[in-house]
Amino acid sequence: MISFSPDEDFLIFDRKEALTWARPLSGFSASIEEALRLSCLDQISKTSPEGVAEGIWVFPKKFLMEIPIPGDWLVDSSGIRWTISEVRDFSIRNCWKCFAVNLLKHFCLCDVLDVYRPQWSLDESGVPVASYRLSRPGIPVRILPPGTNGEVEIRFSDPELALFQYDRLETPTNRVFQVIEFRSASAWNEVSKVFCQEVYS
């Protein structure tokens, strides 16, 4: 039987990589210097709904002061953000085993938007006028076709992004949407939704 010593055996793995752990909306983050990606070794089913959007990592507990929980983020060495879906405690090995999902692929968030926020001023007649300034660039989203009422539903998975009425969203192809209603996701594995009207010049 092969024994496993996390403080020593992690040094011999050729698949190890550095990760960044973060908890959304908390400001907490930490560097995980040595993590082992198990995706290939565990032969994750490519026929699952997530497919290549799934990943598994094992890393020593010493790198985190917090206990990882579903909804936390792991950013891998390629800059891809994974959302933890399940955590297993290997107390004997003093390690965490984290299952994670790339929500951008899972929810097909293949479009990109910039968020513009209005800055209000009064014109010569005292009427409020908005000028728009860039607030958040490059948000991955999925833009659905317009509904029968002309509204456009846009989905995204960033829990740190809140949108407000009169915010504007612009694509790289210069499509512009004005926010009507925003519905925040109630759990990490759901999408936030914003309902908009497309603005035409």
Side-chain angles (χ1 to χ4, degrees):
M1 181 176 179
I2 300 175
S3 62
F4 181 91
S5 174
D7 291 332
E8 298 177 2
D9 292 355
F10 262 86
L11 300 178
I12 67 172
F13 290 139
D14 60 2
R15 295 176 181 269
K16 69 180 180 181
E17 64 178 310
L19 301 175
T20 299
W21 165 87
R23 179 159 296 161
L25 302 173
S26 72
F28 296 152
S29 64
S31 297
I32 301 171
E33 297 176 5
E34 297 172 349
L36 176 66
R37 189 190 292 245
L38 298 181
S39 302
C40 296
L41 300 179
D42 281 30
Q43 296 181 338
I44 294 176
S45 172
K46 300 307 180 189
T47 60
S48 69
E50 294 83 0
V52 295
E54 295 177 322
I56 303 173
W57 283 269
V58 175
F59 52 86
K61 293 181 179 179
K62 66 181 180 180
F63 291 117
L64 295 185
M65 298 297 293
E66 302 285 332
I67 298 174
I69 58 175
D72 286 354
W73 291 339
L74 294 174
V75 181
D76 68 17
S77 55
S78 298
I80 298 173
R81 189 178 73 196
W82 302 79
T83 300
I84 295 176
S85 58
E86 181 184 350
V87 178
R88 296 182 185 176
D89 183 354
F90 283 132
S91 56
I92 297 177
R93 299 179 176 181
N94 202 30
C95 292
W96 298 116
K97 184 176 184 180
C98 294
F99 296 74
V101 179
N102 180 342
L103 293 182
L104 301 190
K105 289 187 176 181
H106 180 65
F107 291 123
C108 299
L109 305 180
C110 54
D111 301 311
V112 178
L113 287 174
D114 295 333
V115 178
Y116 287 82
R117 195 137 286 165
Q119 303 290 321
W120 295 96
S121 60
L122 299 178
D123 65 12
E124 296 178 354
S125 302
V127 177
V129 177
S131 61
Y132 287 87
R133 297 183 180 178
L134 181 63
S135 174
R136 285 281 303 273
I139 304 298
V141 299
R142 182 179 179 185
I143 303 173
L144 276 60
T148 55
N149 60 355
E151 288 188 1
V152 176
E153 179 182 331
I154 299 174
R155 299 175 179 178
F156 62 93
S157 67
D158 189 342
E160 296 186 327
L161 176 62
L163 297 174
F164 305 94
Q165 191 176 18
Y166 301 116
D167 283 351
R168 286 191 174 182
L169 314 174
E170 184 172 342
T171 72
T173 57
N174 298 319
R175 293 182 72 190
V176 179
F177 305 92
Q178 183 159 315
V179 173
I180 298 173
E181 181 185 358
F182 170 65
R183 298 178 190 173
S184 178
S186 59
W188 68 265
N189 56 351
E190 297 179 359
V191 290
S192 295
K193 300 178 180 179
V194 58
F195 297 89
C196 309
Q197 286 285 353
E198 187 161 2
V199 178
Y200 299 93
S201 55

